[in-house]
Amino acid sequence: MFDLKSLSRLPQFETRSISPENRTGERAGGARTPLEAGTARNAARDLGAGWKVNPYLHLEAGETLTLADIQGSGVIRHIWLTPTGAWRSQILRFYWDDSDVPAVECPLGDFFACGWGEYAQVSSLAVCVNPGSAFNSYWEMPFRRRARVTLENRGAERCTVYYQITYTLEPVEEDHAYFHAQFHRANPLPYKQEFPILDKIQGRGLYAGTYMAWGVHNSGWWGEGEIKFFLDGDEEFPTICGTGTEDYFCGSYNFENQKTHEYQTFTTPYTGLCQVLRPDGVYRSQTRFGLYRWHIPDPIAFSQDIRVTIQALGWRSGGRYLPLQDDISAVAYFYLDKPAANLTPLPGQDELEII
């Protein structure tokens, strides 16, 4: 981890970066694409090799593109990526060391806290989303032998992707864990069931953050439900239990602006209600929300296993809770002492689609 105080220290690592202009990240490997092979060869035709010849790649329908394949020991430090096409139709996967099971398997937009397929500014420490659709990840991602990053296009049309993955080549100490992310969606959430943010994961590690895309199917308030962290053998009852959905995301009283009496978006280093999509009076009939909470200063440690759920509750007559059947998606970000976990496979494209 680097900060302003550590930047003056002489480095004990080497910095590399992979992009369409240097697909392998090798030393002096940038800007070497021959003009005739470049995706921007027409724009660069008067300038030739060494100019902006290959700044992006195309991803055909049904194709999986390897964005990076890094050999050795190191840490991914930053990912910048901007795509065309539907973000829910593009699946991002990370593989660590020799595992053929992904540690990250997630729709592209959701991974970067934009789960509804529309731009929302995010100004946080772990994830930044900048105009017009610039996805940035600053999660630290160590690996010991190999790191592989792929992007699958499940859509029906070709998409274009610009990206840069910056990493350091260095030894990784024994007490550094592997980065993971699991995606879930329920639409609708079955009646009186809690939503599974993270299935039971075996091992030792840290829970690092949550992103949720929450679409309401009722009018009225939707965030009375409690989040629960089941740690190290917890079964029926959790060790950590919150007091409400907006409380977990570090807001209060419905995220309501007391002057306008509307939902108030906010984006901070660790928490945010970064997106509110409001009804338009015609086909956009429901309100949808994007929320994140990064446990960077307050990570949740587990030594044997972890499971995370959240309730969906509103209000009904008589001051009683109403179990909701909303459209809920979530990404759970965590670190684990092994390069792969038993993640639940992603559902099919129809089950992922935003309608």
Side-chain angles (χ1 to χ4, degrees), residues 45-57:
R45 64 187 183 276
D46 295 335
L47 300 175
W51 292 85
K52 194 174 179 178
V53 170
N54 203 56
Y56 54 85
L57 299 176

Side-chain angles (χ1 to χ4, degrees), residues 224-229 238 240-245 247-248 309 311:
E224 287 300 319
E226 296 179 338
I227 193 166
K228 299 177 180 179
F229 291 86
I240 298 175
C241 187
T243 58
T245 303
D247 308 336
Y248 170 67
T309 68
Q311 300 164 336

